[in-house]
């Protein structure tokens, strides 16, 4: 694989202090320097019987565990009937912190951080030695902050709740050790990882393949993070081929086969349980050459992006994937786990290195700017990463910041100290400049320093300036033209204009680069929308690469007129140029449209926001200029403007006017445009210049004509006066209103009738509420004075009541087993969620156990149906020891 793109050393590239990314980097570097290593080692030392030196653990998931818990070996575990356990993922956060320290030490060339890495690794070495000295564990290489019993119970298929993803934690610790070795050269870290790798191999090699497959299929309990990636990395680092065999022990055959054959099996799968292993499959491909590994990663990627990704690049609802090609329909209240985006970015980078397909970098740019940078709160903390768990997308959402000790708190530690790692990639014949971040690169192989400046994401150009002696060798520099670029990109080399490729491609310039050379690319910015893949009326608003969030305390969807202000290229006309909007955003931190402030998704602020707007124009308009003609709705809610702009853009004026005439003719035939209104709309369309809000002078001969067939039958529209939930179901009884139209006559002569779900026709006298639960067919008809009729129908799905859940508790002695059930006879149960001491509000799929504690424990749980109704949280109290009979 000699043509594979390679990363530069982390210290070779640096994000400029003036970049918007420097904010989050600076704050995480502060945390890296301020947070004591002893706190991270505390859970390990306690488990190994070592002095914790008075240090408290980070907390949350990363805590000491239950006071009655022992560091049980693989066969010591007394069973769920007697064991008191808690914080069963402890150690994972420390692994992430070690990775952050190693990344930061390498990126900053910081000797203090290097010393901190060394101290951390030395502490883990003491723990591994202390555990080995007990003789309690199956191999001397065992290293964890809890007993080995979780791995044994996994092999017997224990569910989440009794155990919590033991190989996930193992992966984070091993990944941190490998980062310490590979990035800052700590040899002891490799030795510790090798010991752990031999322990893992010993455990898994004795299991038959069928048992391993079943283990990995267990919800959360079988989650192993990127163990296959880590074992493949370890095989290369330690030059021990056996570890590549160990990596294959983690292959999940169903996912591999589905990805390679492009069969979609993702619905209801735990997103971040499976994304990390795709990165491992790329590693396995690189070391074995077995093509199905790469094909699987490519195939699954295409099932996630873009059909299951939100506007900021996130994926999943309550950590689970929804149906394919469903975005608006999968909006809940806990969308877009930040861990998932962390892994999608790593995967995008790896797939781009193999394919050089620019779409991976388009995703990377969008997500690293909007989701990842936006996931770090704009504050300083000595103790917390202040990052999001979920970065939700529903109306009136709030970011879930803080997250000490959680999975997203862990990946969030790493996210913000490695922004430079993908800005540039090295090719055998030159350089790829992928992201327009303000950054500098020491291109040692070429004897050059590269200074990239753009003001991204608040600028409209990027320049690469070369300095240094150079080596006189011809090399190709490839500079990405972003997919969002509006108009014609302009490419110049030392001031001389070159041919530029279209947006979304790479400009390639080959020469012997030398001191003083400058390659500059101008990419005009526009305000544009992006519709959800499954609902063209749910739109996200972008200014160049920046996703804009509408600031509003409302918790229902925001309607906003979008189609009536579109330009021929699909962008939005506001009376301000793209450059002026960027300047306003940079100056004020927001831009204002129709009295609503829109802030950048990447700003790290608090406050409610709306990521999606509902496209809704009350009147037909072009370039922001209204015509006075109502933009009437069809029965399905669509309008003239919806249909007109369905293609998204127009190549030229001729294409626009042709579609305007065709669309107007159809709407006229449906009875939604009067004869005079039709003429008004066509004249206004002809006066639209396609780029500004200033009407052009029009020769009457240029106005398109539509053949009018004379008197048309009346039309009737079924209007729903209430908004559905994002699921498409109505969760409050919708009110139905009929609107009859005899555009060329007198509306007062129309007779309206309504029929619900095949019942009898009844005269319509006013809005009717549909109170019966279920899926209904609504039919309406209208008759004019001359007996001409029109009819229409539409389907409504109504579910106004939440599901009802219940808990079944089985006493096991020192613990209880809890099974949650829920019933919903209308839309069906979507999920049951629960939380208790030491856990989080997570999705339930299987029975779980809770140890009896000294004090009572409160378990809260609730079910949500497919319509989006969530029942009030129910409480289950597990009595403490003193209160048990």
């Amino acid at each position: 694989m000699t043509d594979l793109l390679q990363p530069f050393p982390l210290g070779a590239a640096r994000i400029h202090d003036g970049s918007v990314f420097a904010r989050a980097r600076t704050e995480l570097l502060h945390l890296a320097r301020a947070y004591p290593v002893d706190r991270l080692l505390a859970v390990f030392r306690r488990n190994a019987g070592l002095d914790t030196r008075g240090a408290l653990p980070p907390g949350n998931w990363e805590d000491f565990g239950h006071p009655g818990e022992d560091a049980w070996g693989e066969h010591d575990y007394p069973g769920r009937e007697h064991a008191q356990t808690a914080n069963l993922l402890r150690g994972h956060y420390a692994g992430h912190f070690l990775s952050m320290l190693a990344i930061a030490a390498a990126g900053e060339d910081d000797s203090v951080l290097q010393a901190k890495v060394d101290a951390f690794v030395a502490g883990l070495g003491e723990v591994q030695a202390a555990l080995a000295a007990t003789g309690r564990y199956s191999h001397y290489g065992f290293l964890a902050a809890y007993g080995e019993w979780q791995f044994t119970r996994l092999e017997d298929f224990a569910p989440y709740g009794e155990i919590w993803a033991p190989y996930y934690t193992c992966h984070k610790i091993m990944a941190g050790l490998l980062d310490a070795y590979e990035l800052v050269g700590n040899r002891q870290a490799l030795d510790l990882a090798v010991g752990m790798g031999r322990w893992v191999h010993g455990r898994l090699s004795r299991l038959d393949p069928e048992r391993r497959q079943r283990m990995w299929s267990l919800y959360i309990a079988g989650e192993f993070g990127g163990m296959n990636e880590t074992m493949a990395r370890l095989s290369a680092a330690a030059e021990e081929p056996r570890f590549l065999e160990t990596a294959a022990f983690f292959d999940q055959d169903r996912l591999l086969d589905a990805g390679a054959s492009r069969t979609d099996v993702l619905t209801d799968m735990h997103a971040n349980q499976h994304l990390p292993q795709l990165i491992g499959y790329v590693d396995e491909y690189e070391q074995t050459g077995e093509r199905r590994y790469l094909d699987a990663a490519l195939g699954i990627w295409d099932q996630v992006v873009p059909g299951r990704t939100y506007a900021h690049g996130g994926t999943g609802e309550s950590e689970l994937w929804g149906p394919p090609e469903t975005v608006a329909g999968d909006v809940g209240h806990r969308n877009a786990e930040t861990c998932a985006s962390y892994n999608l970015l790593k995967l995008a980078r790896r797939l781009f290195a193999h394919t050089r397909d620019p779409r991976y970098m388009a995703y990377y740019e969008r997500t690293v700017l909007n989701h990842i940078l936006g996931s770090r709160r704009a504050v300083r903390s000595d103790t917390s990463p202040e990052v999001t768990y979920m970065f939700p997308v529903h109306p009136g959402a709030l970011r879930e910041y803080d997250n000490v000790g959680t999975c997203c708190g862990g990946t969030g530690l790493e996210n913000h100290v490695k922004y430079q790692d993908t800005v540039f990639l090295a090719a055998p014949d030159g350089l790829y400049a992928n992201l327009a971040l303000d950054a500098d690169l020491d291109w040692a192989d070429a004897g050059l320093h590269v200074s990239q400046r753009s003001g991204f994401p608040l600028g409209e150009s990027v320049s690469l300036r070369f300095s240094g002696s150079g080596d006189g060798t011809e090399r190709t520099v490839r500079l990405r033209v972003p997919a969002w670029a509006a108009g014609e990109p302009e490419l110049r080399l030392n001031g001389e204009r070159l041919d530029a490729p279209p947006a979304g491609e790479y400009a390639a310039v080959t020469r012997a680069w030398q001191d003083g050379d400058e390659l500059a690319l101008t990419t005009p910015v526009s305000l544009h929308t992006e519709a959800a893949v499954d609902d063209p009326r749910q739109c996200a608003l972008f200014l160049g690469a920046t996703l804009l969030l509408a600031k509003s305390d409302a918790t229902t969807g925001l309607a906003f007129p979008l189609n009536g202000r579109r330009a021929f290229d699909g962008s939005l006309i506001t009376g301000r140029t793209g450059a002026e909007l960027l300047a306003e955003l940079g100056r004020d931190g927001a831009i204002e449209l129709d009295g609503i402030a829109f802030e950048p998704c990447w700003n790290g602020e608090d406050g409610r926001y709306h990521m999606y707007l509902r496209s809704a124009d009350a009147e037909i308009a072009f370039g922001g200029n209204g015509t006075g003609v109502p933009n009437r709705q069809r029965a399905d809610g669509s309008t003239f403007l919806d249909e007109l702009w369905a293609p998204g853009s127009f190549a030229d004026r001729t294409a626009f006017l042709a579609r305007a005439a065709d669309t107007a003719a159809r709407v006229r035939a449906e009875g939604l445009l009067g004869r005079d209104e039709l003429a008004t709309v066509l004249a206004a369309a002809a006066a639209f210049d396609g780029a500004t809000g200033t009407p052009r002078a029009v020769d009457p001969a240029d106005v398109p004509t539509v053949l009018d067939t004379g008197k048309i039958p009346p039309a009737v529209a079924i209007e729903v006066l209430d908004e559905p939930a994002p699921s498409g179901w109505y969760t409050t009884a919708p009110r139905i209103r009929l609107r009859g139209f005899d555009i060329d006559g007198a509306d007062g002569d129309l007779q309206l009738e309504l029929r619900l779900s095949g019942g009898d026709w009844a005269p319509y006298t006013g809005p009717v509420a549909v109170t019966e639960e279920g899926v209904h067919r609504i039919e309406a008809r209208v008759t004019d004075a001359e007996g001409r009729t029109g009819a229409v129908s539409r389907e409504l799905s109504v579910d106004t009541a939440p599901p009802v859940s219940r808990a079944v508790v089985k006493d096991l002695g020192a613990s209880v087993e809890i099974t949650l059930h829920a019933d919903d006879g209308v839309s069906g149960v979507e999920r049951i969620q629960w939380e208790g001491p030491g856990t989080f509000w997570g999705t339930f799929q299987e029975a779980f156990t809770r140890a009896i504690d000294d004090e009572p424990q409160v378990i809260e749980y609730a079910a949500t149906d497919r319509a989006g109704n969530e029942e009030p949280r129910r409480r289950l109290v597990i009595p403490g020891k003193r209160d048990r009979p």
Side-chain angles (χ1 to χ4, degrees), residues 634-656:
R634 296 183 173 99
D636 64 359
S638 66
T639 67
F640 168 82
L641 286 177
D642 290 337
E643 183 177 347
L644 173 64
W645 288 102
S649 62
F650 295 98
D652 52 36
R653 177 180 174 76
T654 300
F656 169 77

Side-chain angles (χ1 to χ4, degrees), residues 442-772:
D442 288 323
W443 191 5
D445 288 348
L448 293 167
H449 179 86
V450 183
S451 177
Q452 178 172 276
R453 296 293 181 268
S454 65
F456 177 85
L458 299 174
E460 290 189 295
S461 64
V462 57
S463 69
L464 299 177
R465 296 185 178 91
F466 298 82
S467 59
S469 58
D471 63 3
T473 302
E474 281 198 347
R475 287 180 171 84
T476 301
V477 172
R478 295 172 178 86
L479 177 60
R480 189 173 65 90
V481 182
W484 47 259
E488 291 294 326
E490 182 179 291
L491 182 68
R492 292 183 181 274
L493 174 64
N494 298 331
E496 182 180 344
R497 187 159 185 170
L498 306 177
D499 290 337
E505 302 294 332
Y506 276 79
V509 180
T510 303
R511 64 187 275 109
W513 298 89
Q514 56 188 347
D515 187 69
D517 280 344
E518 181 180 15
L519 183 63
L521 174 69
T522 301
T523 52
V525 165
S526 69
L527 188 67
H528 61 282
T529 63
E530 181 180 283
V533 67
D534 55 329
D535 187 349
R537 288 189 288 276
Q538 295 296 327
C539 297
L541 191 62
F542 286 85
L543 179 59
T546 294
L547 171 62
L548 295 172
L549 306 176
K551 298 176 66 173
S552 171
D553 288 332
T555 55
T556 56
L558 286 183
F560 201 79
L562 296 173
N563 285 330
R565 61 193 347 145
R566 294 195 186 278
F568 284 170
D569 64 3
S571 64
L572 300 183
I573 296 171
T574 65
R576 290 162 285 180
T577 65
E580 289 169 337
L581 289 170
L582 288 174
E584 182 179 339
L585 189 63
R587 181 184 66 247
D588 302 334
I591 64 170
E592 186 173 304
L593 297 171
D594 293 1
I596 296 177
F598 289 84
E599 63 183 1
C601 190
W602 43 260
N603 65 2
E605 296 296 327
D606 294 294
R608 295 193 181 276
Y609 60 86
H610 293 246
M611 191 172 291
Y612 288 96
L613 305 171
R614 187 176 73 257
S615 178
D617 295 82
E619 68 173 316
I620 294 175
F622 302 97
N625 295 311
T627 62
V629 177
N631 188 39
R632 300 182 179 96
Q633 291 186 347
R634 296 183 173 99
D636 64 359
S638 66
T639 67
F640 168 82
L641 286 177
D642 290 337
E643 183 177 347
L644 173 64
W645 288 102
S649 62
F650 295 98
D652 52 36
R653 177 180 174 76
T654 300
F656 169 77
L657 289 178
R659 185 168 179 87
D662 289 345
T663 304
R666 274 191 293 277
V667 174
R668 162 72 177 157
E670 293 168 4
L672 302 182
L673 271 182
R675 185 176 292 109
D676 293 341
E677 291 175 334
L678 174 67
T680 298
V681 168
L682 293 175
F688 178 38
D689 72 357
T692 72
T694 303
R696 66 196 295 272
V698 179
D699 187 319
D702 293 336
V703 178
T705 57
V706 171
L707 179 63
D708 194 343
T709 56
K711 183 68 175 177
I712 60 175
V716 59
I718 300 172
E719 298 178 352
V720 186
L721 301 179
D722 305 280
E723 288 297 317
S727 62
W729 286 75
Y730 288 87
T731 54
T732 58
R735 293 164 297 152
I736 304 300
R737 180 173 66 191
L738 301 188
R739 297 283 301 275
F741 302 99
D742 190 347
I743 296 297
D744 297 327
D747 289 354
D749 296 332
L750 301 179
Q751 301 297 318
L752 297 173
E753 296 174 284
L754 179 68
R755 181 162 71 173
L756 302 178
S757 299
D760 295 330
W761 286 99
Y764 173 79
T765 57
V768 175
V770 181
T771 58
E772 187 176 344

Side-chain angles (χ1 to χ4, degrees), residues 102 114 117-118 178-190:
Q114 167 82 57
V117 170
D118 294 342
L178 280 173
D179 286 338
Y181 170 68
E182 293 174 346
L183 299 178
V184 296
N186 186 297
R187 177 69 201 193
Q188 184 185 11
L190 179 61

